Amino acid sequence: MKCFSRYLPYLFRPPSTILSSSCHTEADIISTVEFNHTGELLATGDKGGRVVIFQREQESKNQPHRRGEYNVYSTFQSHEPEFDYLKSLEIEEKINKIRWLPQQNAAYFLLSTNDKTVKLWKVSERDKRPEGYNLKDEDGRLRDPSTITTLRVPVLRPMDLMVEATPRRVFANAHTYHINSISVNSDYETYMSADDLRINLWNFEITNQSFNIVDIKPANMEELTEVITAAEFHPHHCNTFVYSSSKGTIRLCDMRASALCDRHSKFFEEPEDPSNRSFFSEIISSISDVKFSHSGRFIMTRDYLTVKVWDLNMENRPIETYQVHDYLRSKLCSLYENDCIFDKFECVWNGSDSVIMTGSYNNFFRMFDRNTKRDVTLEASRENSKPRAILKPRKVCVGGKRRKDEISVDSLDFSKKILHTAWHPSENIIAVAATNNLYIFQDKVN
């Protein structure tokens, strides 16, 4: 992987098209983005309950500049809107999270979840069809047994490639509150699902039973002071997981210690600076995403204004803190009034854990190089997404005289926000969801 500092701005180029729909509805808004373990597939989920899978094209000698573009591979309806008659509650079809399982055979498997139900999907290819049935004719109708005089051997004939998505398991009725996270364990036999107050452990083979491993619901709900915001398994140790809270704390739990992990093994919290205390302190300290590094040594968390990196061996403060959009500190009052202060931004590591990416407003996204401590702001927009165009870094001007290439903090568009991002597991290819558009950028080819 190239050194980040050698080519700031971080040079990604979009493919020949932006994957989007021209006029979008609420259902078209992308709600999650996830590469599979090889990076050959990229899945997105939207508010309409659809999953779209993009596949990376093989490099062609005729067109070497079209280096592995992503094209639509499969689209299917994962979740439908439902109604809970006991609680008189509508259950949205919106896909909250997608998680891939490592590929074991020719088929692909992924988990998708809305607020209440997790589904395991199998995505497989079919390019042959059987012909020459004995008991059926070519249209599939049953033949009269008295007319069958000879025995035929069925043969497989080639057909146009068909990609099928079939639900293999449905894990339902285990969450009272909205599911915010799912995470596949490194044993690939279990996964967990987390809602506001509980975390459940599931076995992939058992759909009607899950084990409650965290329960922070108080006996009296009036005493509720925090909720679970995100949870993830350790990438290598199947007994360890982490979950974050709306109070800005992170708890590391070990399932070997007890069946119910209400007592954490480690507790990560940064003491608040009294000089920065304000009415909005509690809201902006809520953690919206937590991610283990690929090495398993670090945890990354995202709150409203910052990204923090924690060492598993140091609980009292983060080892790195990156300001994502500190210029919004003076705008917190108006962000509270328009509800933007409750936006939940995600964060991702690159394949070598050396660079961090997270989203911001005005379709900006931020990258931080942990080695050189350099950072860059880039924009995902139709204007700068011509094929093989180099992304130019953007700067936000807080006050005083504004330079030609800067944008004033007062003219930022808060309706354009990048909440969901993904990074290819081994290459410098990123996927950025901006409302209903999916932008894919890749490292500049010299």
Side-chain angles (χ1 to χ4, degrees):
M1 180 164 295
K2 292 176 184 170
C3 172
F4 186 85
S5 59
R6 265 182 52 202
Y7 58 105
L8 266 170
Y10 210 73
L11 302 174
F12 284 91
R13 67 167 179 81
S16 54
T17 55
I18 310 167
L19 307 161
S20 74
S21 52
S22 53
C23 60
H24 76 275
T25 61
E26 181 80 8
D28 295 325
I29 295 173
I30 297 171
S31 53
T32 184
V33 186
E34 188 81 6
F35 279 102
N36 75 339
H37 289 70
T38 63
E40 292 306 300
L41 298 180
L42 171 67
T44 66
D46 64 25
K47 287 194 171 182
R50 292 180 298 266
V51 172
V52 181
I53 300 175
F54 301 93
Q55 185 180 46
R56 195 179 187 192
E57 297 296 319
Q58 298 300 315
E59 286 186 50
S60 66
K61 292 178 182 174
N62 306 335
Q63 296 174 302
H65 66 272
R66 289 171 68 98
R67 185 173 69 132
E69 288 186 6
Y70 285 83
N71 293 313
V72 176
Y73 176 64
S74 176
T75 304
F76 59 92
Q77 189 72 29
S78 174
H79 287 70
E80 302 280 356
E82 296 174 52
F83 191 80
D84 187 335
Y85 291 98
L86 289 174
K87 295 178 181 167
S88 296
L89 196 69
E90 283 186 34
I91 301 168
E92 282 186 297
E93 65 271 40
K94 173 192 164 197
I95 309 294
N96 291 341
K97 284 285 185 287
I98 289 173
R99 290 290 178 263
W100 290 92
L101 275 68
Q103 192 177 0
Q104 307 285 356
N105 50 36
Y108 303 98
F109 288 87
L110 61 86
L111 286 172
S112 65
T113 185
N114 67 349
D115 285 341
K116 298 289 181 184
T117 306
V118 184
K119 294 184 180 181
L120 174 67
W121 289 89
K122 177 186 180 182
V123 182
S124 54
E125 296 181 354
R126 199 147 59 102
D127 60 357
K128 292 184 176 66
R129 68 169 184 270
E131 281 185 8
Y133 289 107
N134 287 287
L135 301 178
K136 294 178 183 175
D137 60 21
E138 299 310 324
D139 295 327
R141 291 188 296 266
L142 283 171
R143 295 166 64 189
D144 181 359
S146 63
T147 63
I148 302 171
T149 55
T150 57
L151 187 66
R152 294 193 293 177
V153 178
V155 292
L156 291 173
R157 301 254 186 246
M159 59 178 270
D160 290 338
L161 179 66
M162 206 167 87
V163 181
E164 295 176 315
T166 50
R168 299 305 302 268
R169 305 272 188 279
V170 177
F171 306 89
N173 307 320
H175 285 277
T176 309
Y177 308 98
H178 292 177
I179 298 172
N180 55 49
S181 303
I182 49 175
S183 179
V184 179
N185 201 347
S186 57
D187 61 12
Y188 305 131
E189 292 179 6
T190 56
Y191 76 92
M192 69 177 171
S193 55
D195 65 25
D196 293 343
L197 298 179
R198 296 189 179 101
I199 300 175
N200 292 334
L201 181 70
W202 300 83
N203 187 297
F204 279 112
E205 300 300 322
I206 303 168
T207 59
N208 61 354
Q209 187 180 22
S210 65
F211 299 95
N212 181 223
I213 52 175
V214 172
D215 187 349
I216 64 166
K217 184 181 178 182
N220 180 4
M221 281 296 275
E222 289 178 3
E223 296 170 8
L224 182 68
T225 57
E226 64 180 334
V227 293
I228 298 166
T229 56
E232 188 176 66
F233 269 118
H234 191 283
H236 311 304
H237 304 311
C238 61
N239 54 284
T240 308
F241 67 93
V242 70
Y243 69 92
S244 58
S245 87
S246 55
K247 272 192 167 179
T249 61
I250 309 113
R251 291 170 174 84
L252 185 80
C253 300
D254 188 339
M255 291 191 292
R256 296 172 302 186
S258 64
L260 191 63
C261 300
D262 282 353
R263 291 185 181 172
H264 44 266
S265 304
K266 292 189 175 184
F267 183 78
F268 302 86
E269 183 179 28
E270 184 176 28
E272 188 187 9
D273 182 355
S275 62
N276 282 340
R277 176 123 191 107
S278 73
F279 170 78
F280 306 106
S281 293
E282 282 192 17
I283 302 172
I284 63 173
S285 66
S286 175
I287 292 172
S288 56
D289 196 16
V290 60
K291 293 269 171 61
F292 272 106
S293 62
H294 294 88
S295 66
R297 170 74 189 272
F298 305 103
I299 302 170
M300 170 169 58
T301 59
R302 170 75 208 258
D303 56 42
Y304 190 67
L305 294 177
T306 65
V307 171
K308 293 172 182 169
V309 177
W310 303 76
D311 190 313
L312 283 188
N313 298 322
M314 192 165 84
E315 299 170 55
N316 59 341
R317 61 187 170 86
I319 56 169
E320 298 159 27
T321 300
Y322 301 99
Q323 300 295 334
V324 179
H325 36 217
D326 203 44
Y327 46 78
L328 295 183
R329 226 173 252 282
S330 60
K331 300 274 178 195
L332 292 178
C333 196
S334 56
L335 289 164
Y336 178 76
E337 288 170 1
N338 64 15
D339 281 350
C340 283
I341 200 167
F342 301 107
D343 286 334
K344 293 176 169 54
F345 292 94
E346 294 173 6
C347 51
V348 288
W349 303 87
N350 73 336
S352 61
D353 300 332
S354 60
V355 184
I356 287 165
M357 175 172 63
T358 191
S360 181
Y361 293 103
N362 210 68
N363 279 359
F364 289 169
F365 57 97
R366 302 270 283 140
M367 288 184 169
F368 304 94
D369 188 311
R370 298 180 60 214
N371 298 324
T372 63
K373 303 303 177 194
R374 299 177 77 171
D375 63 274
V376 66
T377 303
L378 300 172
E379 183 182 5
S381 70
R382 288 177 175 275
E383 289 72 47
N384 62 15
S385 61
K386 296 182 181 70
R388 292 175 300 288
I390 293 172
L391 289 182
K392 291 189 175 72
R394 302 302 304 264
K395 284 201 170 92
V396 177
C397 165
V398 180
K401 199 170 180 183
R402 184 167 65 89
R403 292 182 189 164
K404 187 179 79 168
D405 58 341
E406 290 183 337
I407 182 169
S408 166
V409 67
D410 296 315
S411 58
L412 292 174
D413 188 343
F414 293 107
S415 66
K416 294 179 177 177
K417 54 191 89 169
I418 290 177
L419 303 175
H420 314 288
T421 56
W423 203 309
H424 189 289
S426 57
E427 294 182 44
N428 277 338
I429 298 174
I430 57 169
V432 174
T435 320
N436 66 315
N437 295 330
L438 176 68
Y439 295 86
I440 300 176
F441 302 108
Q442 72 180 35
D443 190 349
K444 181 173 177 283
V445 186
N446 291 321

